[in-house]
Amino acid sequence: MPELPEVETVRRTLEKLVGERITSMAVGRKGLHMARKPPRGALRKLIGARITGLRRIGKYLLVDTDRPQSILAHLGMTGRLRIHRKGDPRANHTHLVIGFGERELRFVDPRRFGQLDVVTRPNEREHVGLAVLGPDPLTDGLDTRTLFTIAKQRKVTLKALVLDQGVIAGMGNIYASEALWRAKLRPTTRSNRLTSQSTAKLAAAVREVLSRALDHNGTTFSDFVDADGREGDNEEYLWVYGREGMPCRRCRTSIRKSVQQGRATYYCPTCQTP
DNA sequence: ATCACGACCTGGAGGC
DNA sequence: TGCCTCCAGGTCGTGA
């Protein structure tokens, strides 16, 4: 579900929590899979703290408090962070409930691929998930020269290159297909074969695809919603993802689907040249 | 060192 | 209706 535009959409709808004081903290007993279990003790110590800001780094969200600690969240595939009223029925797979008087922020994740942790500022970047992240295209920009240098050093497919969080933080499977279509590049092409011109196109395409999706509040393919429960509108603007057999929006060729590294890739066999 | 693959989970959709 | 198989926005550990 959540790639950079979706996580940023959630971040924006969570900003209304700034200034609120944490009055309760309930940690589910079933752990999340990735990182170890959410640190129950460290989370409970934040009762009484006040929210001072919401940040996003790649696909990670940071809930800053007026203490040195921040809550770190990653939504994995099916994670949701939503604001509820205290009495609302609690969904299955609710892993964390942060109370703010009459309101609650709930983290729900059926597949349990998400992550929850507590990090200490200003060393939050030492967290294993954040330490490896490359530039975030929307906050750091995406420098063509840097991307070109990395591409030349490696022989991964372009699909794998743009999905690598150490290369572009925040890219995911939907927008990887979208960006490569936009840049007219074949997903199976090896990164070391990129020219500086095509790298520039790719960098521009990445920025464009992500900011456009953000303008539409993200893509709801099956179940993404923001913190207020609203779906994103970007699905109807997708160029290739999920459009197998439908005409390419540039050249009318039938869009193809293939599987790369176990993940669906969509591309146009005519205008995305190998 | 680099790369591709399977594992980790649950639930929804579609076939029979 | 019910059972089975397949598929899913992410990341990490393994083995080649």
Side-chain angles (χ1 to χ4, degrees):
Chain A
M1 161 180 41
E3 307 179 31
L4 187 156
E6 291 74 34
V7 179
E8 176 62 18
T9 299
V10 172
R11 190 198 69 77
R12 290 178 180 181
T13 46
L14 285 176
E15 280 205 306
K16 60 173 78 68
L17 294 177
V18 169
E20 296 272 358
R21 192 176 289 283
I22 298 174
T23 53
S24 66
M25 184 76 73
V27 186
R29 45 190 44 210
K30 236 191 202 176
L32 294 158
H33 164 250
M34 261 337 151
R36 58 207 184 264
K37 286 190 177 155
R40 185 181 303 267
L43 284 164
R44 287 196 53 84
K45 273 191 199 159
L46 288 173
I47 294 173
R50 204 176 275 282
I51 305 301
T52 55
L54 274 299
R55 284 185 290 152
R56 181 191 57 76
I57 307 179
K59 298 172 194 169
Y60 287 87
L61 271 173
L62 285 155
V63 184
D64 293 331
T65 71
D66 57 1
R67 302 189 188 160
Q69 285 77 31
S70 300
I71 299 168
L72 180 72
H74 189 296
L75 300 176
M77 289 273 248
T78 51
R80 291 182 177 191
L81 274 169
R82 279 192 63 181
I83 297 168
H84 290 269
R85 300 203 56 80
K86 204 171 179 178
D88 291 349
R90 202 171 280 193
N92 273 343
H93 307 292
T94 299
H95 298 102
L96 180 67
V97 180
I98 307 174
F100 303 96
E102 286 308 301
R103 286 199 288 186
E104 288 180 349
L105 176 60
R106 302 181 188 176
F107 183 95
V108 176
D109 182 11
R111 278 177 84 180
R112 294 196 269 142
F113 290 168
Q115 300 175 46
L116 284 170
D117 212 338
V118 173
V119 295
T120 304
R121 301 185 309 276
N123 303 322
E124 63 268 36
R125 279 282 190 165
E126 290 172 13
H127 183 275
V128 283
L130 301 182
V132 299
L133 295 182
D136 181 304
L138 293 197
T139 55
D140 306 324
L142 183 60
D143 179 53
T144 299
R145 266 203 135 77
T146 313
L147 186 59
F148 186 57
T149 307
I150 295 170
K152 281 290 166 199
Q153 286 166 352
R154 305 182 37 177
K155 293 185 195 169
V156 286
T157 62
L158 292 182
K159 175 78 185 296
L161 183 80
V162 297
L163 269 181
D164 187 334
Q165 300 301 294
V167 178
I168 307 175
M171 282 295 279
N173 203 44
I174 292 178
Y175 302 120
S177 283
E178 294 293 296
L180 290 168
W181 180 87
R182 192 65 183 162
K184 299 187 180 177
L185 294 166
R186 239 347 136 84
T188 45
T189 298
R190 297 283 155 172
S191 63
N192 59 336
R193 303 201 48 217
L194 275 184
T195 62
S196 57
Q197 291 91 327
S198 52
T199 306
K201 274 194 211 163
L202 180 57
V206 167
R207 288 189 297 261
E208 184 192 354
V209 161
L210 295 177
S211 59
R212 182 170 179 267
L214 181 55
D215 288 343
H216 298 133
N217 299 310
T219 303
T220 297
F221 214 72
S222 69
D223 59 7
F224 163 72
V225 291
D226 68 19
D228 299 323
R230 270 191 307 265
E231 299 190 338
D233 300 321
N234 197 60
E235 186 186 352
E236 55 186 299
Y237 300 97
L238 293 177
W239 288 308
V240 279
Y241 190 88
R243 300 191 68 246
E244 182 184 17
M246 297 164 75
C248 173
R249 296 196 195 275
R250 268 192 305 246
C251 73
R252 316 308 293 168
T253 305
S254 185
I255 295 299
R256 286 200 194 148
K257 176 186 182 180
S258 69
V259 175
Q260 267 181 286
Q261 292 130 254
R263 321 208 51 199
T265 298
Y266 297 86
Y267 66 99
C268 171
T270 300
C271 58
Q272 287 175 261
T273 50

